[in-house]
Amino acid sequence: MAKVESAVQDHYKDDGLMERIFAFLEKIGIDPGNLTHEDLYACDQMHARGIAATREHVDYSGIAPGMRVLDLGCGIGGSSRYIRTARDCWVTGIDLTQEFIDVARELTERCGLGDGIEYFQANALDMPFEDASFDHVWSHNVTMNIEDKAGLVTEIARILKPGGRFSCSEIEQGPSGDPFYPLPWASEPTFSFLVTPDEMCALQSAGGLRVVEQIDLNEANLAFFREGRERAKSGKPPQNINPLAFKSRDDFLERVRNAGKSAEEGRLVEQLIIAEKS
Ligand SMILES: C[S@@+](CC[C@H](N)C(=O)[O-])C[C@H]1O[C@@H](n2cnc3c(N)ncnc32)[C@H](O)[C@@H]1O
């Protein structure tokens, strides 16, 4: 295992995540023995703006019924379950972190969605799939942990069918300097690999993907961080919890504050890029 991948795994893995999710669900009045995928929106989206961001990504993606979709860097499967139920397609989720795959499988089975979604532990830079085997590759807040972005794009182009799409919600380097650490996806810059929006588009074009649309998510993110601060000030709980907050390491709030401050100062930006394989 390369140094970067093992640092990323060390960052995300945390034994006991399943139990902490069940405890949270019980606390908010949801029975883990009788779950729907909608119940899980409260705590299964590992990115800012929770299920709203996932819905928006699906709306822009062009994913249609019957497609074979790869959720690359699927975390605990929040996007996979939403894509499957919203668009009636076949979903495969892969993630570097074995514990997330175990939790994704368990939650998906408990929601009765096991027939339409499968999960595997795998590295996005070396995927166990045949050439041209997917109609769509989806990635939501994953690329900032991947150093070899040219290799990533080549691998995605390889597994996409001609005309297939890659939709990628990306946190990127802003114009105003480096972000503040620790951040939710990295404690330090050694395993956070941010490129600018222009650089990411150029990498996609060079790797055989034609960028068809870029959606700026900055305003929506800034509003999310502002609302979070207001809710905290008035003692209200957040509308949903990022499952990274359940880690036994207890500094998630500091990480979110750093992400918010970095976004406010133009050190971090986010866009959704839709690209197509010619
Ligand atoms: C911030 S989480 C986002 C998870 C999920 N996409 C979501 O939005 O709920 C980033 C995920 O990327 C995964 N990841 C990072 N590098 C990866 C790689 N090289 N291959 C596969 N997964 C990777 C991590 O294990 C982690 O689950």
Side-chain angles (χ1 to χ4, degrees):
M1 172 74 53
K3 220 168 140 199
V4 168
E5 278 82 21
S6 80
V8 170
Q9 283 178 326
D10 284 349
H11 171 72
Y12 285 109
K13 76 166 187 242
D14 191 19
D15 293 341
L17 177 62
M18 192 75 261
E19 289 70 28
R20 286 193 286 277
I21 290 176
F22 287 162
F24 170 76
L25 289 169
E26 278 167 356
K27 199 168 138 201
I28 61 169
I30 294 171
D31 174 7
N34 187 19
L35 278 180
T36 68
H37 64 278
E38 287 101 335
D39 290 334
L40 290 171
Y41 296 165
C43 65
D44 70 351
Q45 311 287 317
M46 207 177 279
H47 50 252
R49 297 196 295 127
I51 191 67
T54 311
R55 280 202 180 100
E56 185 182 79
H57 186 161
V58 166
D59 289 345
Y60 280 112
S61 68
I63 294 173
M67 281 186 172
R68 193 161 175 230
V69 178
L70 177 70
D71 182 0
L72 180 153
C74 62
I76 62 170
S79 297
S80 302
R81 287 182 291 274
Y82 183 76
I83 296 166
R84 167 74 185 153
T85 51
R87 291 292 152 103
D88 194 19
C89 44
W90 304 102
V91 183
T92 301
I94 61 153
D95 201 282
L96 199 56
T97 308
Q98 181 66 53
E99 188 184 17
F100 289 169
I101 291 299
D102 296 341
V103 171
R105 283 189 184 133
E106 167 99 35
L107 292 176
T108 300
E109 283 298 329
R110 282 177 181 248
C111 297
L113 295 175
D115 288 347
I117 311 177
E118 55 183 1
Y119 298 100
F120 303 106
Q121 191 277 337
N123 184 348
L125 293 170
D126 182 17
M127 294 191 268
F129 305 119
E130 292 186 2
D131 296 358
S133 47
F134 286 92
D135 300 290
H136 193 103
V137 176
W138 160 292
S139 142
H140 202 112
N141 287 192
V142 177
T143 51
M144 59 276 181
N145 281 133
I146 298 181
E147 183 175 25
D148 180 8
K149 292 191 180 19
L152 174 70
V153 173
T154 304
E155 187 63 349
I156 289 168
R158 180 185 72 74
I159 63 164
L160 270 177
K161 296 178 187 170
R165 285 185 161 197
F166 174 42
S167 61
C168 175
S169 192
E170 271 240 316
I171 300 175
E172 295 164 327
Q173 176 65 53
S176 313
D178 291 338
F180 303 104
Y181 288 85
L183 286 161
W185 63 89
S187 301
E188 36 168 293
T190 46
F191 55 100
S192 176
F193 307 102
L194 302 173
V195 292
T196 66
D198 286 349
E199 283 167 342
M200 190 59 187
C201 289
L203 279 161
Q204 296 215 22
S205 304
L209 300 176
R210 185 176 62 89
V211 174
V212 291
E213 195 170 3
Q214 287 175 261
I215 299 104
D216 184 329
L217 302 174
N218 291 319
E219 273 314 308
N221 277 343
L222 290 177
F224 164 82
F225 287 121
R226 272 195 293 273
E227 197 209 335
R229 281 197 297 272
E230 291 309 315
R231 291 182 84 88
K233 256 191 236 157
S234 58
K236 287 189 197 151
Q239 277 182 316
N240 47 51
I241 301 259
N242 181 323
L244 292 175
F246 296 130
K247 284 177 73 67
S248 47
R249 182 177 61 207
D250 187 19
D251 61 355
F252 188 68
L253 268 184
E254 181 193 0
R255 290 168 187 267
V256 171
R257 274 190 215 114
N258 282 341
K261 189 167 174 234
S262 301
E264 297 278 357
E265 294 188 12
R267 294 166 187 272
L268 288 178
V269 292
E270 185 168 355
Q271 67 169 336
L272 173 60
I273 310 178
I274 313 286
E276 196 166 282
K277 182 178 174 179
S278 14

